[in-house]
Each structure stands twice: as C-alpha cells, then as structure tokens.
Amino acid sequence: MVGEMHLKMSVGSAACSATRLGAWVLAFATVLAAGPPEPVETELAAARGRERLALLNRLAAGSVEKDPSKAARLAGEALTLARRLDDQEAEATATYVLADAARVEGDHRLALERFQAARVLFAALGNQPELGRSLRRIGDIYYFLGEYELALQRYLEALQHFERLAKDDPKGKAPLHLAHLQAAIGNVLRASGDFAGAQQYYEKALAAYERLGFAAGISGATYNLGLVQQDLKN
C-alpha cells in the first residue's frame, strides 16, 4: 500500500522498466501494513492456537519484501491453521500475504489468482480497507502483465472505493492510498501512450503527496512528470 504502489515505468522498455522504475511504490503497502516490530522466532515457537496464527501472519507480512519464500512458508502455515480454527479474517490475511510473496518473486499469474481470492474473502468479511488494497494490487499485477485496460479498470474501481473511505475517515490511510492510485493510473496512461492523461494524474498525485507531506511520493511523482516531458521530447 502501492507503499504501497509501484509508481514509475518506462514506455520504451516496459518489461524491464515496470519492475525497475516502478518497484518503490508497491512497496508502500508493506510498509503501511507492517505495524509494530515483528515477533522473534523463539516467540513463535512457543505459541499455540490463535496466538500462533496471529504471529505467523505478522511475521509473514514483515518478511514479504526481504524474504518472500519465508513469507510464503509462514503464510501457508497460517492459512492452514486459520482454516482449522475457522478464523476467516486470518485466512484472508494469509491469502493476501501469499499473493504478495508471489508478486515479489515475479510469479504474477499466481499473485493475480491469490489477490483475487483475498479480494473475495475481504469483501465477504466487510473489511473495506483490505478490500481496497486487494483491488489495487490486482491492478498492479495486470499492469506488470501488460494488460493495461484491465489494470485501469481495477485502479479506477479502487480509486472510487478509497474515495468513499476517505470521506468517512479523512485523517486515515485512505488519502495516501488515493495518491498512490492516482500515480498508478498515470503509469497505465503513460504506458498506453496517453501522455496528457498521465501528466494530469501525476499532477494530482503530486498535489496529494504535498498535502500529506509524503516525501517519497513527492519525489516519485515529480520524477514521473519529468518522464512525461521526456516522452514529449520537451
């Protein structure tokens, strides 16, 4: 929570650039979701039942970016335990982390399947913030697969979703999610050759990041605006 999103992309070499230039924004999601410091392995070894389940999901989420294979292993155990304990919230969380681990490892088809499963689970639970994050991640995966029309559809759906959440809680995380989504929509438009549209959304993202005082977003959106000018030979 993109943070949570990948912002940057080069049209000329999409397969390379989508991973290299875009990587930092999607990482925002992991940062936002990480919360307090992760428990140590010894604490996990002694835990049982729902306590172990909670620790597994926390450790898995905290390991996604630096060790996705470990994250997948922990989340897989959490998923099995959650189903045995009939803990649907923990099941949804474990499914999301498994999807995120697949994303980091570059298995985009598997990531897409798992993010879609997480979306269904969070929707059934009525967990609106996590439903929104799942929608955005689905857009991210379509983006990396080069399926820009589908990516744009999911991003716009997520944008409307977080706009509703921002109205209910303007001081929560939804405004930052909105900024990430505006940047992501700019990516899709730029990759599709709509440079004017991309510039418009990058400017929206930049204004939002400035209001929020989000330094990484400010630099990223400014960089993307520079890329658009480069595309225009300006």
Side-chain angles (χ1 to χ4, degrees):
M1 203 277 159
V2 66
E4 263 196 4
M5 292 195 49
H6 292 97
L7 276 177
K8 309 172 189 173
M9 174 175 180
S10 171
V11 175
S13 54
C16 175
S17 301
T19 300
R20 185 180 67 251
L21 293 178
W24 71 275
V25 184
L26 281 175
F28 292 162
T30 304
V31 173
L32 290 173
E38 300 300 338
V40 296
E41 296 287 349
T42 52
E43 186 179 351
L44 177 65
R48 297 292 182 272
R50 294 186 184 278
E51 180 186 4
R52 180 175 181 83
L53 177 56
L55 293 176
L56 282 167
N57 271 334
R58 286 174 59 194
L59 274 173
S63 301
V64 167
E65 296 294 337
K66 61 180 179 289
D67 192 346
S69 61
K70 175 183 177 182
R73 174 177 56 81
L74 293 168
E77 182 183 343
L79 183 62
T80 300
L81 184 55
R83 288 171 174 168
R84 188 163 72 240
L85 296 174
D86 194 26
D87 189 326
Q88 296 176 353
E89 189 75 42
E91 179 182 355
T93 299
T95 302
Y96 183 96
V97 174
L98 281 167
D100 222 14
R103 172 189 64 80
V104 175
E105 291 184 317
D107 191 341
H108 292 140
R109 290 297 176 186
L110 179 59
L112 180 61
E113 177 184 331
R114 288 173 170 173
F115 279 128
Q116 288 171 333
R119 172 190 179 182
V120 171
L121 291 168
F122 284 126
L125 290 164
N127 188 327
Q128 299 303 314
E130 294 305 308
L131 171 58
R133 289 181 67 217
S134 299
L135 283 170
R136 193 177 74 250
R137 283 300 201 198
I138 292 170
D140 294 336
I141 299 303
Y142 279 132
Y143 171 81
F144 288 123
L145 289 170
E147 299 181 32
Y148 299 134
E149 184 175 348
L150 290 172
L152 185 59
Q153 290 174 5
R154 295 290 81 75
Y155 282 149
L156 290 173
E157 186 178 355
L159 188 74
Q160 293 175 347
H161 185 85
F162 278 114
E163 283 175 344
R164 292 191 294 270
L165 294 183
K167 288 180 181 178
D168 295 334
D169 186 13
K171 294 186 178 180
K173 293 180 179 179
L176 184 56
H177 284 290
L178 285 172
H180 295 331
L181 281 161
Q182 288 161 347
I185 291 170
N187 290 342
V188 175
L189 295 176
R190 178 170 175 257
S192 302
D194 182 356
F195 302 133
Q199 180 172 336
Q200 181 181 10
Y201 272 95
Y202 287 148
E203 287 174 347
K204 289 180 179 180
L206 177 59
Y209 286 134
E210 288 176 339
R211 286 195 303 271
L212 295 167
F214 193 78
I218 293 170
S219 61
T222 303
Y223 179 87
N224 286 345
L225 284 166
L227 290 177
V228 170
Q229 295 307 309
Q230 180 177 336
D231 294 331
L232 295 170
K233 310 297 183 183
N234 187 355

